[in-house]
Protein backbone atom coordinates (compact mmCIF):
# COMPACT_ATOMS: atom_id res chain seq x y z
CA UNK A 1 0.00 0.00 0.00
CA UNK A 2 2.79 2.44 0.87
CA UNK A 3 4.57 1.62 -2.40
CA UNK A 4 1.35 2.21 -4.36
CA UNK A 5 0.85 5.60 -2.66
CA UNK A 6 4.47 6.56 -3.32
CA UNK A 7 4.20 5.73 -7.01
CA UNK A 8 0.94 7.64 -7.30
CA UNK A 9 2.56 10.68 -5.68
CA UNK A 10 5.64 10.54 -7.96
CA UNK A 11 3.43 10.29 -11.04
CA UNK A 12 1.28 13.21 -9.88
CA UNK A 13 4.21 15.57 -9.34
CA UNK A 14 6.10 14.59 -12.51
CA UNK A 15 3.99 16.72 -14.80
CA UNK A 16 5.84 18.50 -17.57
CA UNK A 17 4.97 21.89 -19.04
CA UNK A 18 2.29 20.33 -21.25
CA UNK A 19 -1.01 18.81 -20.22
CA UNK A 20 0.17 15.28 -21.12
CA UNK A 21 0.93 13.42 -17.88
CA UNK A 22 4.56 12.42 -17.54
CA UNK A 23 5.34 9.45 -15.29
CA UNK A 24 8.30 7.38 -14.23
CA UNK A 25 6.73 4.01 -15.00
CA UNK A 26 7.98 2.01 -17.96
CA UNK A 27 5.77 0.97 -20.83
CA UNK A 28 5.17 -2.74 -21.37
CA UNK A 29 8.13 -4.71 -22.75
CA UNK A 30 6.23 -5.13 -26.03
CA UNK A 31 6.60 -1.44 -26.85
CA UNK A 32 9.49 -2.11 -29.26
CA UNK A 33 7.44 -4.56 -31.31
CA UNK A 34 4.25 -2.54 -31.67
CA UNK A 35 3.39 0.65 -33.55
CA UNK A 36 4.68 3.21 -34.24
CA UNK A 37 7.95 2.65 -36.06
CA UNK A 38 10.18 4.99 -34.05
CA UNK A 39 13.49 5.97 -35.63
CA UNK A 40 16.15 8.27 -34.21
CA UNK A 41 15.09 11.95 -34.31
CA UNK A 42 17.87 12.97 -36.70
CA UNK A 43 18.36 12.94 -40.49
CA UNK A 44 19.39 9.69 -42.15
CA UNK A 45 22.92 8.59 -41.33
CA UNK A 46 23.79 11.31 -38.80
CA UNK A 47 25.58 9.99 -35.69
CA UNK A 48 24.63 10.85 -32.10
CA UNK A 49 25.32 9.63 -28.57
CA UNK A 50 22.35 9.26 -26.22
CA UNK A 51 22.70 9.17 -22.45
CA UNK A 52 20.64 9.37 -19.27
CA UNK A 53 21.11 9.28 -15.50
CA UNK A 54 19.18 8.03 -12.49
CA UNK A 55 18.18 11.61 -11.59
CA UNK A 56 17.13 12.53 -15.12
CA UNK A 57 13.80 14.33 -15.08
CA UNK A 58 11.06 13.53 -15.68
CA UNK A 59 12.36 9.97 -16.12
CA UNK A 60 15.57 8.01 -16.42
CA UNK A 61 14.09 6.74 -19.71
CA UNK A 62 14.52 10.22 -21.22
CA UNK A 63 17.45 10.57 -23.62
CA UNK A 64 19.91 13.46 -23.86
CA UNK A 65 21.44 13.34 -27.35
CA UNK A 66 24.84 14.97 -27.87
CA UNK A 67 27.58 15.21 -30.46
CA UNK A 68 30.32 17.69 -31.34
CA UNK A 69 28.96 21.01 -32.64
CA UNK A 70 25.37 19.95 -31.97
CA UNK A 71 24.00 23.47 -31.51
CA UNK A 72 21.84 24.23 -34.56
CA UNK A 73 21.80 20.66 -35.87
CA UNK A 74 18.65 19.45 -37.65
CA UNK A 75 16.15 17.26 -35.81
CA UNK A 76 13.34 15.34 -37.49
CA UNK A 77 10.12 13.52 -36.62
CA UNK A 78 10.81 10.07 -35.20
CA UNK A 79 7.51 8.75 -36.61
CA UNK A 80 4.47 10.10 -38.49
CA UNK A 81 2.07 12.13 -36.36
CA UNK A 82 0.27 15.35 -35.56
CA UNK A 83 1.98 18.25 -33.84
CA UNK A 84 0.19 18.19 -30.48
CA UNK A 85 1.98 21.12 -28.91
CA UNK A 86 4.58 23.78 -29.66
CA UNK A 87 5.56 25.74 -26.56
CA UNK A 88 8.30 27.69 -24.80
CA UNK A 89 8.88 27.61 -21.02
CA UNK A 90 11.54 30.30 -21.18
CA UNK A 91 14.75 29.69 -19.25
CA UNK A 92 13.40 26.80 -17.22
CA UNK A 93 12.40 23.20 -17.83
CA UNK A 94 12.00 22.15 -21.50
CA UNK A 95 12.50 25.61 -23.01
CA UNK A 96 11.32 25.50 -26.62
CA UNK A 97 9.78 22.10 -27.24
CA UNK A 98 7.52 20.08 -29.54
CA UNK A 99 5.22 17.15 -28.77
CA UNK A 100 4.02 14.85 -31.57
CA UNK A 101 0.90 12.71 -31.17
CA UNK A 102 1.35 9.38 -32.99
CA UNK A 103 -2.08 7.97 -32.12
CA UNK A 104 -2.99 5.07 -29.84
CA UNK A 105 -1.85 6.99 -26.77
CA UNK A 106 1.74 7.28 -28.07
CA UNK A 107 3.67 10.53 -28.32
CA UNK A 108 7.23 11.86 -28.55
CA UNK A 109 8.78 15.01 -27.10
CA UNK A 110 11.70 17.13 -28.37
CA UNK A 111 13.03 19.75 -25.96
CA UNK A 112 15.64 22.54 -25.48
CA UNK A 113 15.31 23.55 -29.14
CA UNK A 114 16.95 26.57 -30.75
CA UNK A 115 14.06 27.03 -33.14
CA UNK A 116 10.84 25.24 -34.13
CA UNK A 117 9.84 24.80 -37.78
CA UNK A 118 6.36 23.30 -37.38
CA UNK A 119 3.06 24.56 -36.04
CA UNK A 120 0.45 23.09 -33.67
CA UNK A 121 -2.05 20.82 -35.41
CA UNK A 122 0.19 20.22 -38.43
CA UNK A 123 0.45 16.66 -39.79
CA UNK A 124 4.06 15.53 -40.31
CA UNK A 125 5.60 12.42 -41.81
CA UNK A 126 8.50 10.46 -40.43
CA UNK A 127 11.71 12.31 -41.27
CA UNK A 128 10.06 15.77 -41.49
CA UNK A 129 12.36 18.46 -40.11
CA UNK A 130 10.95 19.82 -36.84
CA UNK A 131 13.59 22.44 -36.02
CA UNK A 132 17.10 22.87 -34.65
CA UNK A 133 18.88 21.46 -31.62
CA UNK A 134 19.45 24.18 -29.05
CA UNK A 135 20.12 25.13 -25.44
CA UNK A 136 16.83 26.74 -24.39
CA UNK A 137 15.26 26.06 -21.00
CA UNK A 138 17.02 24.71 -17.92
CA UNK A 139 20.26 23.42 -19.48
CA UNK A 140 23.98 24.08 -19.21
CA UNK A 141 24.84 23.23 -22.81
CA UNK A 142 23.20 22.38 -26.12
CA UNK A 143 21.60 18.96 -26.61
CA UNK A 144 18.30 17.35 -27.59
CA UNK A 145 16.16 16.04 -24.74
CA UNK A 146 13.94 13.30 -26.18
CA UNK A 147 11.10 11.21 -24.73
CA UNK A 148 8.85 8.44 -26.00
CA UNK A 149 5.54 8.23 -24.13
CA UNK A 150 2.65 5.82 -23.83
CA UNK A 151 -0.55 7.24 -22.32
CA UNK A 152 1.49 10.14 -20.98
CA UNK A 153 4.14 7.99 -19.28
CA UNK A 154 7.76 7.96 -20.40
CA UNK A 155 8.85 4.45 -21.38
CA UNK A 156 12.13 2.81 -22.33
CA UNK A 157 12.91 4.22 -25.79
CA UNK A 158 13.24 2.02 -28.85
CA UNK A 159 14.41 2.74 -32.38
CA UNK A 160 14.17 0.51 -35.44
CA UNK A 161 12.08 -1.93 -33.36
CA UNK A 162 14.89 -2.50 -30.82
CA UNK A 163 15.19 -1.18 -27.26
CA UNK A 164 17.73 1.63 -27.08
CA UNK A 165 21.01 1.08 -25.21
CA UNK A 166 21.93 4.24 -23.32
CA UNK A 167 25.46 5.56 -23.70
CA UNK A 168 26.01 4.20 -27.20
CA UNK A 169 26.82 6.15 -30.34
CA UNK A 170 24.49 5.28 -33.22
CA UNK A 171 23.80 6.36 -36.79
CA UNK A 172 20.21 7.34 -37.52
CA UNK A 173 18.17 4.91 -39.64
CA UNK A 174 15.46 7.56 -40.10
CA UNK A 175 15.61 7.16 -43.89
CA UNK A 176 11.98 6.83 -45.09
CA UNK A 177 11.08 6.88 -48.77
CA UNK A 178 8.86 9.80 -49.84
CA UNK A 179 6.23 9.01 -52.52
CA UNK A 180 5.97 11.29 -55.58
CA UNK A 181 4.90 11.17 -59.22
CA UNK A 182 6.01 12.68 -62.52
CA UNK A 183 5.90 12.28 -66.29
CA UNK A 184 9.56 11.39 -66.82
CA UNK A 185 9.36 10.17 -70.43
CA UNK A 186 6.91 12.73 -71.87
CA UNK A 187 4.09 10.28 -72.66
CA UNK A 188 1.57 12.43 -70.72
CA UNK A 189 1.06 9.69 -68.14
CA UNK A 190 2.49 10.24 -64.66
CA UNK A 191 4.63 7.46 -63.20
CA UNK A 192 5.30 6.68 -59.56
CA UNK A 193 8.53 7.90 -58.02
CA UNK A 194 10.42 7.78 -54.73
CA UNK A 195 12.69 10.26 -53.02
CA UNK A 196 15.09 8.04 -51.11
CA UNK A 197 16.91 9.55 -48.16
CA UNK A 198 20.52 8.51 -47.59
CA UNK A 199 23.36 9.79 -45.46
CA UNK A 200 23.61 13.46 -46.37
CA UNK A 201 21.87 13.32 -49.76
CA UNK A 202 18.66 12.31 -51.51
CA UNK A 203 17.94 10.41 -54.73
CA UNK A 204 14.88 10.52 -56.96
CA UNK A 205 14.14 6.98 -58.17
CA UNK A 206 11.91 7.32 -61.24
CA UNK A 207 9.96 4.29 -62.42
CA UNK A 208 8.99 4.37 -66.09
CA UNK A 209 7.82 1.64 -68.48
CA UNK A 210 10.87 -0.45 -69.24
CA UNK A 211 13.23 0.78 -66.58
CA UNK A 212 14.23 2.85 -63.56
CA UNK A 213 16.25 6.06 -63.53
CA UNK A 214 18.07 7.39 -60.46
CA UNK A 215 18.74 11.12 -60.11
CA UNK A 216 20.74 12.21 -57.02
CA UNK A 217 19.66 15.68 -55.95
CA UNK A 218 19.31 17.58 -52.70
CA UNK A 219 19.94 16.59 -49.11
CA UNK A 220 18.26 13.82 -47.15
CA UNK A 221 16.59 16.46 -44.94
CA UNK A 222 15.10 18.38 -47.90
CA UNK A 223 11.44 18.18 -48.93
CA UNK A 224 11.23 16.80 -52.49
CA UNK A 225 9.05 18.26 -55.27
CA UNK A 226 8.54 17.54 -58.97
CA UNK A 227 7.42 19.65 -61.93
CA UNK A 228 8.15 20.66 -65.51
CA UNK A 229 10.34 23.70 -64.82
CA UNK A 230 11.34 24.31 -68.45
CA UNK A 231 8.09 23.44 -70.26
CA UNK A 232 9.53 20.61 -72.38
CA UNK A 233 6.74 18.16 -71.47
CA UNK A 234 8.89 16.10 -69.08
CA UNK A 235 8.94 16.32 -65.31
CA UNK A 236 12.04 17.51 -63.49
CA UNK A 237 13.19 17.13 -59.88
CA UNK A 238 13.50 19.68 -57.11
CA UNK A 239 13.64 20.19 -53.36
CA UNK A 240 12.76 22.80 -50.80
CA UNK A 241 15.29 23.47 -48.05
CA UNK A 242 13.06 24.60 -45.16
CA UNK A 243 15.67 26.40 -43.04
CA UNK A 244 16.56 28.64 -45.97
CA UNK A 245 12.99 28.73 -47.38
CA UNK A 246 14.62 27.92 -50.70
CA UNK A 247 13.36 25.92 -53.68
CA UNK A 248 16.18 24.32 -55.70
CA UNK A 249 14.93 23.20 -59.13
CA UNK A 250 16.95 21.00 -61.50
CA UNK A 251 16.25 20.99 -65.24
CA UNK A 252 16.79 17.93 -67.44
CA UNK A 253 20.03 19.50 -68.64
CA UNK A 254 21.34 19.44 -65.07
CA UNK A 255 21.24 23.22 -64.51
CA UNK A 256 19.70 24.44 -61.25
CA UNK A 257 17.60 27.49 -60.47
CA UNK A 258 16.42 28.71 -57.09
CA UNK A 259 13.40 30.51 -55.65
CA UNK A 260 13.16 31.77 -52.08
CA UNK A 261 9.60 31.71 -50.77
CA UNK A 262 7.48 31.35 -47.64
CA UNK A 263 8.28 30.54 -44.02
CA UNK A 264 10.22 27.66 -42.51
CA UNK A 265 6.98 25.96 -41.38
CA UNK A 266 5.38 26.09 -44.86
CA UNK A 267 4.87 22.94 -46.96
CA UNK A 268 5.99 23.18 -50.61
CA UNK A 269 3.62 22.62 -53.54
CA UNK A 270 4.06 22.95 -57.30
CA UNK A 271 1.76 23.45 -60.28
CA UNK A 272 1.15 25.27 -63.54
CA UNK A 273 -0.86 28.08 -61.99
CA UNK A 274 -1.29 30.08 -65.25
CA UNK A 275 -1.52 27.34 -67.91
CA UNK A 276 1.61 28.39 -69.80
CA UNK A 277 3.14 24.89 -69.79
CA UNK A 278 5.79 25.62 -67.14
CA UNK A 279 5.47 24.50 -63.52
CA UNK A 280 5.67 27.16 -60.84
CA UNK A 281 6.20 26.84 -57.08
CA UNK A 282 3.99 27.62 -54.12
CA UNK A 283 3.49 26.78 -50.45
CA UNK A 284 0.75 25.54 -48.12
CA UNK A 285 0.69 27.37 -44.79
CA UNK A 286 -0.70 24.88 -42.23
CA UNK A 287 -1.39 27.41 -39.46
CA UNK A 288 -4.04 29.17 -41.57
CA UNK A 289 -4.75 26.38 -44.12
CA UNK A 290 -3.81 28.64 -47.02
CA UNK A 291 -2.14 28.03 -50.39
CA UNK A 292 0.12 30.78 -51.70
CA UNK A 293 1.15 30.45 -55.32
CA UNK A 294 3.83 32.36 -57.20
CA UNK A 295 1.88 33.10 -60.40
CA UNK A 296 4.48 35.58 -61.73
CA UNK A 297 7.73 37.09 -60.43
CA UNK A 298 6.72 39.02 -57.32
CA UNK A 299 3.02 38.19 -57.75
CA UNK A 300 1.34 35.89 -55.22
CA UNK A 301 -2.14 34.39 -55.18
CA UNK A 302 -3.65 33.07 -51.93
CA UNK A 303 -6.44 30.49 -51.57
CA UNK A 304 -7.76 29.04 -48.31
CA UNK A 305 -8.59 25.34 -48.34
CA UNK A 306 -8.54 22.49 -45.85
CA UNK A 307 -7.45 22.72 -42.21
CA UNK A 308 -4.27 22.89 -40.13
CA UNK A 309 -3.94 19.09 -40.17
CA UNK A 310 -4.45 18.77 -43.93
CA UNK A 311 -1.77 17.56 -46.34
CA UNK A 312 -1.71 19.57 -49.61
CA UNK A 313 -2.07 17.99 -53.06
CA UNK A 314 -2.31 19.59 -56.50
CA UNK A 315 -3.61 18.48 -59.90
CA UNK A 316 -5.56 19.58 -62.96
CA UNK A 317 -8.88 18.17 -61.74
CA UNK A 318 -11.00 19.63 -64.59
CA UNK A 319 -8.60 19.25 -67.53
CA UNK A 320 -8.23 22.94 -68.41
CA UNK A 321 -4.38 22.77 -68.28
CA UNK A 322 -4.28 24.91 -65.13
CA UNK A 323 -3.29 23.19 -61.89
CA UNK A 324 -5.95 23.14 -59.18
CA UNK A 325 -5.63 22.73 -55.41
CA UNK A 326 -6.59 20.01 -52.97
CA UNK A 327 -5.96 18.64 -49.49
CA UNK A 328 -5.98 15.22 -47.83
CA UNK A 329 -7.25 14.80 -44.27
CA UNK A 330 -5.64 11.63 -42.82
CA UNK A 331 -8.09 11.44 -39.91
CA UNK A 332 -11.07 11.03 -42.25
CA UNK A 333 -9.22 9.82 -45.40
CA UNK A 334 -10.95 12.64 -47.30
CA UNK A 335 -9.58 14.47 -50.31
CA UNK A 336 -11.02 17.98 -50.72
CA UNK A 337 -10.51 19.11 -54.31
CA UNK A 338 -11.03 22.64 -55.63
CA UNK A 339 -11.47 23.20 -59.39
CA UNK A 340 -11.44 26.74 -60.73
CA UNK A 341 -12.03 27.75 -64.35
CA UNK A 342 -11.37 31.30 -65.44
CA UNK A 343 -14.34 33.56 -64.70
CA UNK A 344 -16.37 30.78 -63.03
CA UNK A 345 -17.14 30.08 -59.39
CA UNK A 346 -14.73 27.45 -58.01
CA UNK A 347 -16.20 23.98 -57.48
CA UNK A 348 -15.21 22.03 -54.37
CA UNK A 349 -15.76 18.26 -54.18
CA UNK A 350 -14.79 15.61 -51.63
CA UNK A 351 -13.64 12.02 -52.17
CA UNK A 352 -12.98 9.36 -49.52
CA UNK A 353 -9.98 7.26 -50.45
CA UNK A 354 -7.13 5.47 -48.70
CA UNK A 355 -6.38 4.73 -45.06
CA UNK A 356 -5.46 6.95 -42.11
CA UNK A 357 -1.79 5.93 -42.30
CA UNK A 358 -1.48 6.51 -46.07
CA UNK A 359 0.37 9.38 -47.74
CA UNK A 360 -1.40 11.20 -50.60
CA UNK A 361 -0.06 11.46 -54.15
CA UNK A 362 -1.56 12.94 -57.30
CA UNK A 363 -0.96 12.70 -61.03
CA UNK A 364 -2.56 11.88 -64.37
CA UNK A 365 -2.46 8.07 -64.17
CA UNK A 366 -4.33 7.36 -67.43
CA UNK A 367 -3.25 10.22 -69.70
CA UNK A 368 -6.71 11.75 -70.13
CA UNK A 369 -5.50 15.26 -69.30
CA UNK A 370 -7.17 15.31 -65.86
CA UNK A 371 -5.45 14.98 -62.51
CA UNK A 372 -6.18 11.89 -60.43
CA UNK A 373 -5.67 11.13 -56.76
CA UNK A 374 -3.83 8.27 -55.08
CA UNK A 375 -2.19 7.12 -51.87
CA UNK A 376 0.95 5.25 -50.83
CA UNK A 377 0.80 2.81 -47.92
CA UNK A 378 4.10 2.93 -45.98
CA UNK A 379 3.73 -0.49 -44.36
CA UNK A 380 3.44 -2.34 -47.67
CA UNK A 381 5.07 0.22 -50.00
CA UNK A 382 1.99 0.04 -52.23
CA UNK A 383 0.56 2.79 -54.42
CA UNK A 384 -3.21 2.79 -54.94
CA UNK A 385 -3.99 5.08 -57.89
CA UNK A 386 -7.61 6.11 -58.57
CA UNK A 387 -8.23 6.81 -62.26
CA UNK A 388 -11.95 7.59 -62.01
CA UNK A 389 -12.81 11.31 -62.47
CA UNK A 390 -12.39 12.98 -59.10
CA UNK A 391 -16.03 14.08 -58.96
CA UNK A 392 -17.38 10.52 -59.38
CA UNK A 393 -18.81 8.93 -56.23
CA UNK A 394 -20.44 5.85 -57.75
CA UNK A 395 -17.67 3.96 -59.55
CA UNK A 396 -13.93 3.90 -59.45
CA UNK A 397 -10.96 2.19 -61.05
CA UNK A 398 -7.88 1.64 -58.90
CA UNK A 399 -4.41 0.65 -60.08
CA UNK A 400 -2.07 -0.82 -57.45
CA UNK A 401 1.73 -0.83 -57.72
CA UNK A 402 4.36 -1.99 -55.24
CA UNK A 403 7.21 0.49 -55.23
CA UNK A 404 9.65 1.77 -52.65
CA UNK A 405 10.90 0.36 -49.37
CA UNK A 406 8.28 -0.68 -46.78
CA UNK A 407 8.65 0.95 -43.42
CA UNK A 408 9.19 -1.27 -40.41
Amino acid sequence: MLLRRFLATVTAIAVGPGSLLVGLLAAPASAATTAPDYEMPFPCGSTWTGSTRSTHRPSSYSIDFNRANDLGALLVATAPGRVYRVADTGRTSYGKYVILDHGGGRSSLYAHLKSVWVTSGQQVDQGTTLGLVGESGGVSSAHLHFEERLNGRVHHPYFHRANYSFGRTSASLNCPDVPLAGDWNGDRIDDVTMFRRARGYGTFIQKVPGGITKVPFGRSSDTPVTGDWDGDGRSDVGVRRPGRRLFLLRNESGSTSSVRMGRVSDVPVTGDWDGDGDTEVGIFRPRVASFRMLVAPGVMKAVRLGSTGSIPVTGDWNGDKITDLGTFDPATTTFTLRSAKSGATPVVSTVRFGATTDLPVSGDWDGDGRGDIGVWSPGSATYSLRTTPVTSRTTRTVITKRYGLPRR
Side-chain angles (χ1 to χ4, degrees), residues 385-402:
L385 310 176
R386 185 181 188 274
T387 60
T388 309
V390 294
T391 56
S392 174
R393 297 173 180 270
T394 56
T395 61
R396 67 180 184 182
T397 301
V398 178
I399 302 170
T400 59
K401 296 183 179 182
R402 294 285 298 274

Side-chain angles (χ1 to χ4, degrees), residues 43-58:
C44 181
S46 58
T47 302
W48 291 77
T49 302
S51 61
T52 191
R53 55 191 180 277
S54 60
T55 58
H56 204 176
R57 297 187 64 185

Side-chain angles (χ1 to χ4, degrees), residues 212-282:
I212 293 175
T213 302
K214 298 182 179 181
V215 181
F217 189 70
R219 300 173 182 172
S220 62
S221 55
D222 290 339
T223 305
V225 295
T226 63
D228 183 0
W229 319 130
D230 53 11
D232 66 353
R234 297 171 181 261
S235 293
D236 305 300
V237 302
V239 296
R240 185 174 187 262
R241 197 153 291 165
R244 298 179 61 192
R245 303 175 291 109
L246 189 68
F247 283 89
L248 299 172
L249 310 176
R250 180 187 185 275
N251 291 332
E252 191 172 0
S253 64
S255 63
T256 302
S257 59
S258 63
V259 179
R260 193 178 305 276
M261 182 182 180
R263 302 173 181 173
V264 293
S265 59
D266 291 338
V267 179
V269 295
T270 62
D272 184 356
W273 315 127
D274 54 10
D276 66 352
D278 296 351
T279 302
E280 291 87 34
V281 298

Side-chain angles (χ1 to χ4, degrees), residues 177-209:
D177 281 353
V178 181
L180 297 160
D183 180 6
W184 308 112
N185 57 7
D187 64 356
R188 300 185 181 181
I189 298 176
D190 285 317
D191 302 297
V192 297
T193 304
M194 282 294 164
F195 179 73
R196 182 152 297 163
R197 304 181 191 274
R199 182 182 178 89
Y201 67 93
T203 300
F204 290 81
I205 306 178
Q206 307 162 354
K207 182 177 177 63
V208 297

